[in-house]
């Protein structure tokens, strides 16, 4: 973990709650292996939810450039990790994002940062997909936006149905991507690098 991370207010209180959780699970939080665990988990959870303190719209506008390019821009295979809000277990995979500029473009890394910010919140995959699309559409005002997210969910792999190789795919689109031909072009361009089992 990056030692330069600034942790948010409430870290000690959060660690205290995790100490109590260990007790409720039947563990001894004072034993050697668990003595520092409550604080480690508290710090980890603040890192995993750092997206709550970041503004994805500002990330896009900080690198906004006038450009008369009006063809599809695709940033694909963006790795992400998130936490399912139902069980607080990880889900992870790849996001593929496209937009068709309407007079302005943004830095390519900023698209990946938007994915990172929204994924570092308690999430469901469907909302994550929609939030990425809405942020790009509302901030850049492109001719269209499309997002496809492919993920594996630990809540399905470790508990419940316990299916190890299932992949969940969600999509959201707007504008020019309402046309089936444009969506098909996007899917053909990302297809060769979609997530494999």
């Amino acid at each position: 973990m990056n030692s330069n991370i600034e942790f948010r207010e409430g870290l000690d209180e959060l660690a205290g709650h995790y100490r109590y959780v260990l007790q409720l699970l039947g563990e001894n939080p004072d034993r050697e292996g668990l003595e520092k665990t409550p604080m480690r988990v508290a710090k980890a959870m603040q890192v995993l939810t750092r997206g709550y303190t970041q503004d994805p719209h500002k990330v896009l506008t900080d690198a906004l450039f006038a450009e008369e390019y009006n063809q599809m821009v695709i940033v694909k295979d963006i790795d992400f990790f998130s936490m399912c809000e139902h069980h607080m277990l990880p889900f992870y995979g790849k996001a593929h994002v496209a937009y068709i500029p309407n007079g302005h473009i943004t830095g390519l890394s900023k698209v990946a940062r938007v994915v990172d910010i929204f994924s570092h919140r308690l999430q469901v995959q469907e909302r994550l997909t929609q939030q990425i699309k809405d942020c790009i559409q509302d901030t850049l005002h492109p001719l269209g936006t499309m997002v496809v997210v492919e993920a594996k969910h630990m809540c399905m792999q470790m508990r419940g149905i316990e299916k190890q190789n299932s992949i969940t795919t969600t999509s959201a689109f707007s504008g020019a991507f309402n046309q089936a031909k444009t969506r098909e072009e996007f899917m053909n361009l990302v297809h060769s690098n979609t997530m494999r089992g």
Side-chain angles (χ1 to χ4, degrees), residues 10 15-16 19 28 42 44 59 68 77-78 97 117 122 125-126 132 135 142 150 165 169 171 173 180-181 188:
R19 177 182 170 82
N28 173 13
V59 165
E68 294 305 317
D77 295 330
I78 303 168
V97 181
I117 289 170
L122 297 182
Q125 184 175 333
E126 297 87 343
I132 296 166
C135 180
E150 301 170 298
N165 297 308
T169 302
S171 66
F173 50 86
K181 183 178 179 181
N188 286 338

Side-chain angles (χ1 to χ4, degrees), residues 129-148:
T129 307
Q130 189 74 32
Q131 286 177 331
I132 296 166
K133 188 270 293 180
D134 288 346
C135 180
I136 292 170
Q137 187 66 40
D138 295 345
T139 307
L140 301 182
H141 306 290
L143 299 175
T145 306
M146 184 162 180
V147 178
V148 172

